[in-house]
């Protein structure tokens, strides 16, 4: 029997592309997308879709029963920058949705759960260079706090109840398909859009802010690779470190200028600078590479070529 998959938060930046890829792999009818609204009509119309509030336990439970779901991807969350504006809403959504899914998996036919964490679990006391898998986690944002607490609950439910829950600490994610969702690393998506549309960009981080980043194709690949990995090979049930590339706003600017010589960028750091300064500049993901053979494919220049090519099609054709 093929897996029956429910994606909660399917209209988000990662969820939308993950849904498309999973439908290619498992068949459209076996991947049920859900979100609180229908803002992405192409995704809504491309296969089974349900309006579900991730904070509503009964709605999730009923959907799982109706479609005989055995695998859940919980992608709904309020991200770092938005979470600082609405801290209680971020706590409510990010934590209660996770409890709902973990409790469903504990006592039903749900065989496997995916829940994303983030480099936001780290803080100013964390080693910033080559941040190890096991290290100090003292996050300074509400988003980071929810991810840190969520990691502990995932590990607890695995050890206590045998829930097969899997997680990745995503770095900043860059995509030409989905617009940013309120994260501190959003400049690395916005800069490409503004380069094509206006030829200039005002960056909300300083030019030398080095942060771990990843092209969306690699992020989707990592997520699916982890979910496909043998249960016996996994040694981490909190969340795996994941890395691909690290760069500064100045470096991404220089990468774009190779293709768009007239592109200009200025810098005006705002409240997100303090958040970025509390995060690592590079990540040691050797455990993921050992446990489930993780490998990334895109470096900065390869990513820039794809981003500019696709956004030119989007805006100039």
């Amino acid at each position: 029997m093929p897996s029956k998959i429910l994606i909660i938060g399917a209209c988000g930046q990662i969820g939308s592309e993950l849904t498309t890829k999973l439908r290619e792999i498992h068949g459209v009818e076996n991947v049920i997308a859900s979100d609180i609204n229908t803002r992405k009509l192409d995704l809504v119309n491309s296969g089974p879709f349900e309006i579900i509030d991730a904070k509503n336990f009964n709605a999730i439970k009923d959907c799982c029963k109706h479609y005989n779901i055995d695998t859940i991807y919980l992608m709904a969350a309020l991200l770092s920058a938005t979470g600082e504006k609405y801290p209680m809403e971020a706590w409510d959504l990010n934590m209660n949705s996770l409890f709902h899914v973990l409790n469903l998996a504990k006592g039903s036919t749900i065989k496997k759960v995916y829940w994303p964490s983030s480099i936001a679990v780290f803080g100013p006391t964390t080693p910033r260079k080559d941040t190890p898998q096991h290290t100090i986690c003292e996050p300074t944002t509400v988003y980071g706090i929810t991810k840190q607490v969520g990691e502990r609950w995932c590990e607890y439910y695995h050890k206590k109840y045998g829930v097969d829950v899997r997680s990745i600490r995503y770095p900043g994610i860059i995509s030409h398909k989905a617009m940013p969702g309120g994260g501190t690393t959003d400049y690395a998506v916005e800069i490409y859009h503004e380069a094509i549309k206006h030829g200039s960009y005002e960056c909300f981080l300083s030019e030398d802010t080095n942060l771990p980043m990843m092209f969306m194709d690699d992020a989707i690949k990592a997520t699916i690779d982890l979910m496909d990995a043998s249960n016996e090979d996994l040694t981490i049930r909190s969340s795996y470190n994941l890395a691909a590339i690290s760069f500064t706003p100045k470096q991404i600017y220089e990468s774009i200028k190779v293709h768009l010589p007239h592109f200009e960028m200025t810098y005006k750091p705002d409240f997100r600078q303090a958040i970025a300064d509390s995060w690592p500049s590079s990540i040691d993901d050797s455990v993921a590479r050992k446990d489930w053979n993780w490998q990334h494919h895109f470096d900065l220049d390869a990513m820039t070529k794809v981003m500019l090519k696709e956004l030119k099609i989007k805006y100039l054709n």
Side-chain angles (χ1 to χ4, degrees), residues 86-97:
Y86 309 103
M88 295 315 298
E89 289 87 344
W91 177 265
D92 187 22
L93 171 60
N94 295 1
M95 294 311 307
N96 284 327
S97 61

Side-chain angles (χ1 to χ4, degrees), residues 104-124:
L104 270 177
K106 179 182 74 172
S108 72
T109 58
I110 304 301
K111 297 176 182 177
K112 198 180 295 185
V113 171
Y114 179 79
W115 173 81
S117 188
S118 163
I119 60 170
V121 298
F122 303 124

Side-chain angles (χ1 to χ4, degrees), residues 210-272:
N210 200 49
L211 289 171
M213 298 284 187
M214 180 175 289
F215 191 47
M216 179 66 83
D217 290 22
D218 277 337
I220 299 300
K221 177 182 180 297
T223 304
I224 294 172
D225 284 354
L226 174 59
M227 290 296 277
D228 287 344
S230 171
N231 192 42
E232 293 74 24
D233 291 337
L234 304 183
T235 62
I236 302 297
R237 292 297 182 160
S238 52
S239 192
Y240 277 96
N241 273 8
L242 195 74
I245 49 180
S246 288
F247 53 77
T248 66
K250 183 178 180 180
Q251 288 172 320
I252 196 172
Y253 162 70
E254 291 171 345
S255 180
I256 292 172
K257 276 196 66 89
V258 171
H259 305 275
L260 301 175
H262 299 295
F263 175 60
E264 297 295 335
M265 185 157 79
T266 56
Y267 303 90
K268 188 178 181 181
D270 63 14
F271 74 98
R272 288 166 285 194

